[in-house]
Amino acid sequence: MASSSSTSLPLHICHGNKLTMIINRSHAVLHSIAISFLIYYRTSFLFHQPTPIIIPWLLLFTSELILSFIWFLGRAYIWRPVYRTVFPERLPNDDKLPAIDVFICTTGPDKEPTIGVMNTLLSAMALDYPPDKLHVYLSDDGGYAITLHAMRESWSFARWWLPFCRRFGIKTRCPEAYFSRTENRDSDSENPHNFMVEREKIKEQYVLFKERVRRAGEESKFKDKGVYTASDHPSCIEMPLLVYVSREKRTSQFHHFKAGAVNLRVSAMLSNSPYILMLDCDMYCNDPTSARQAMCFHFDPEMSPSLAFVQFPQAFRDIRENDIYDSEVRSAYTILWPGLDGLKGPVLSGTNFYIKREALCCHSIRKDIDLRELKDSFGPSNEFINSLRQDYKKPNLNDNGEASNMLLEEAKVLASCSYEDHTKWGKEVGFLYDSVAEDFLTGFVMQCKGWISAYVAPSSSSRPQFLGTSTTNLNDLLTQGIRWGSGLVDVALSRFSPLFYGSSRIIVPSSLLPPSLVLCHHPSSLSP
Ligand SMILES: O=c1ccn([C@@H]2O[C@H](COP(=O)(O)OP(=O)(O)O[C@H]3O[C@H](CO)[C@@H](O)[C@H](O)[C@H]3O)[C@@H](O)[C@H]2O)c(=O)[nH]1
Ligand SMILES: [Mn+2]
């Protein structure tokens, strides 16, 4: 529980449901007794009655033991489920809030429609947070000219959209979602006529913006990437506030998918905010107060020193009524994550989390640390190493919010694909490369190193903090399932295998969490 600096009232409270806990634990005890009897029965049969059917009997017993072990690991989830309530209105004044860098990742317009990505971008720019403390980076992993062009268009449209949202207290700050709603009672404006006139004006601008982006997408200069392709292009950076980043990609160098695309170095050069919000390009900010909700934990003097990230659930807006494939992954966000939150916190879930930059860069830089040692970890850039030494507090921008040409040149060097050679990026620093499930692996290693996390689900009366699109057809679902499964197998077989790596450092039952995630949540991932 945290107290705001101005009052003694807590910024957040954590409550568990005692009755659920008692029922869960009693059930676990009863079930364990039943399993013990079963094991006793099988063992005594094996010792006392040697029969010709010994092989099937042994096979059956082995499978029962494996299933019991998986069941045992899964108990960690229900051992101590907790729920959080936040009080963002008790945060200190805006001038005391820390800056936030928002990272939105996209791979290309073929799979991820440009206008959808721009909507996510606009919703992030419109977060209810001091505008000078919000920096939005679009990481375009394909390096598409159309994405950069659409981003410039979004910048122009944002000049209409952001003041409108702030003036009328609009809650749905993703323009597409806002204008496609029929009722539009989102504002409690005192002057409804004025509001409606203004709304129509903005809607007109939005339609024009969409049309310009659509037309540009059809132009050959944007369709044709010239000599470059999505996996072979140089780096490119545009700014300010809204920053376009496309890291360099070469076919000769492995790119490590999203983990490689999330470029912490470029943002350290420009804004260097102490907190980072990660977003998938199809996941927009549905509640503008999420940043302040996260700050309720990061401002907690007791929790903050070891708190790596605050995770929000993934909610989806395209779930069909029957959801036959469970695209909503409901059990994860309603049962498992609150269960993990009662222990050491939820696992990193790829998107919708506010993370401390320091947790991703491993450690704060001690003043006495050797420069050579720093360069071995972070690469040769002196500018980048200086940014670490500034303790993540001083943005490198001038009074107009602009970066010098020299800084932009340095940022390009940092975005090059060879910069990471012979450094610890991806091995110990940043998002880890050992698995395609970079989120799970990075979060798990962080927790092994002593960091904790918190989970904030929306209350029944409030709106989901983030809304996105899910996989609704079997083909996409299988592709995603295979990627997640193989990502977890990568982890299970890597030097970070949870069966060995975390166990000695995390106390039981927390140590059971990662292996239980692999075994219970994705048991298929262990099958060949
Ligand atoms: O090479 C890549 C691949 C993906 N992405 C981006 O990563 C995000 C997630 O990719 P997606 O293909 O949509 O994966 P999902 O399975 O929907 O995503 C879940 O699983 C991923 C791990 O497999 C996490 O990274 C995601 O945050 C999590 O939401 C998207 O914004 C992509 O644009 C890249 O930038 N580069
Ligand atoms: Mn996705």
Side-chain angles (χ1 to χ4, degrees), residues 285-441:
C285 305
N286 184 52
D287 180 351
T289 67
S290 67
R292 289 177 191 269
Q293 293 184 27
M295 286 308 148
C296 290
F297 298 91
H298 287 301
F299 263 81
D300 176 346
E302 265 172 45
M303 205 172 177
S304 181
S306 52
L307 180 69
F309 61 92
V310 178
Q311 179 70 56
F312 293 93
Q314 293 197 32
F316 304 100
R317 62 198 150 106
D318 57 344
I319 298 294
R320 302 223 178 97
E321 204 187 335
N322 296 326
D323 190 19
I324 52 171
Y325 303 127
D326 187 29
S327 308
E328 208 178 352
V329 231
R330 217 166 354 162
S331 64
Y333 294 109
T334 54
I335 300 172
L336 308 184
W337 272 218
L340 294 175
D341 200 16
L343 302 168
K344 275 184 88 86
V347 291
L348 203 68
S349 316
T351 176
N352 312 354
F353 58 86
Y354 287 83
I355 191 165
K356 205 179 264 172
R357 189 182 280 270
E358 187 189 327
L360 277 171
C361 286
C362 272
H363 42 77
S364 27
I365 301 305
R366 296 192 322 268
K367 294 274 178 287
D368 58 341
I369 201 162
D370 182 21
L371 186 66
R372 182 181 291 271
E373 214 179 301
L374 283 173
K375 289 196 171 181
D376 283 349
S377 297
F378 299 105
S381 168
N382 288 326
E383 290 293 333
F384 179 77
I385 286 170
N386 282 342
S387 79
L388 292 169
R389 286 199 158 125
Q390 283 162 5
D391 226 4
Y392 313 115
K393 275 189 188 117
K394 206 172 123 234
N396 285 321
L397 310 177
N398 66 20
D399 292 343
N400 299 327
E402 287 164 1
S404 65
N405 281 342
M406 195 201 82
L407 217 55
L408 280 177
E409 281 311 310
E410 189 69 17
K412 279 192 187 172
V413 172
L414 288 163
S416 68
C417 57
S418 55
Y419 182 83
E420 294 182 351
D421 293 349
H422 314 297
T423 66
K424 292 194 177 152
W425 287 100
K427 298 181 197 108
E428 285 174 34
V429 186
F431 284 89
L432 304 184
Y433 293 161
D434 292 58
S435 162
V436 281
E438 81 296 324
D439 43 356
F440 172 75
L441 175 62

Side-chain angles (χ1 to χ4, degrees), residues 175-353:
E176 184 67 36
Y178 177 70
F179 289 118
S180 59
R181 286 176 53 175
T182 41
E183 75 275 31
N184 278 316
R185 290 282 155 261
D186 207 12
S187 161
D188 49 5
S189 165
E190 282 169 9
N191 186 343
H193 175 70
N194 200 357
F195 166 67
M196 285 315 285
V197 171
E198 199 65 16
R199 184 184 174 278
E200 282 312 302
K201 212 157 71 183
I202 307 292
K203 187 172 183 181
E204 209 172 289
Q205 288 299 326
Y206 180 60
V207 172
L208 288 173
F209 157 70
K210 266 202 330 190
E211 188 54 23
R212 285 197 300 273
V213 173
R214 191 189 63 77
R215 279 221 204 108
E218 284 166 6
E219 278 177 40
S220 57
K221 68 172 174 178
F222 291 123
K223 272 189 168 167
D224 187 8
K225 290 193 66 172
V227 292
Y228 303 130
T229 67
S231 55
D232 190 47
H233 57 82
S235 52
C236 172
I237 293 151
E238 290 242 338
M239 65 153 319
L241 172 70
L242 193 54
V243 186
Y244 174 86
V245 184
S246 175
R247 53 134 170 200
E248 184 192 23
K249 259 177 155 180
R250 298 293 169 207
T251 35
S252 54
Q253 292 250 352
F254 191 53
H255 54 77
H256 303 291
F257 305 99
K258 182 181 163 191
V262 180
N263 204 308
L264 295 169
R265 299 185 295 273
V266 170
S267 60
M269 271 307 88
L270 306 174
S271 47
N272 204 25
S273 302
Y275 294 96
I276 292 167
L277 163 63
M278 285 289 309
L279 284 180
D280 283 356
C281 62
D282 56 0
M283 190 62 75
Y284 67 79
C285 305
N286 184 52
D287 180 351
T289 67
S290 67
R292 289 177 191 269
Q293 293 184 27
M295 286 308 148
C296 290
F297 298 91
H298 287 301
F299 263 81
D300 176 346
E302 265 172 45
M303 205 172 177
S304 181
S306 52
L307 180 69
F309 61 92
V310 178
Q311 179 70 56
F312 293 93
Q314 293 197 32
F316 304 100
R317 62 198 150 106
D318 57 344
I319 298 294
R320 302 223 178 97
E321 204 187 335
N322 296 326
D323 190 19
I324 52 171
Y325 303 127
D326 187 29
S327 308
E328 208 178 352
V329 231
R330 217 166 354 162
S331 64
Y333 294 109
T334 54
I335 300 172
L336 308 184
W337 272 218
L340 294 175
D341 200 16
L343 302 168
K344 275 184 88 86
V347 291
L348 203 68
S349 316
T351 176
N352 312 354
F353 58 86

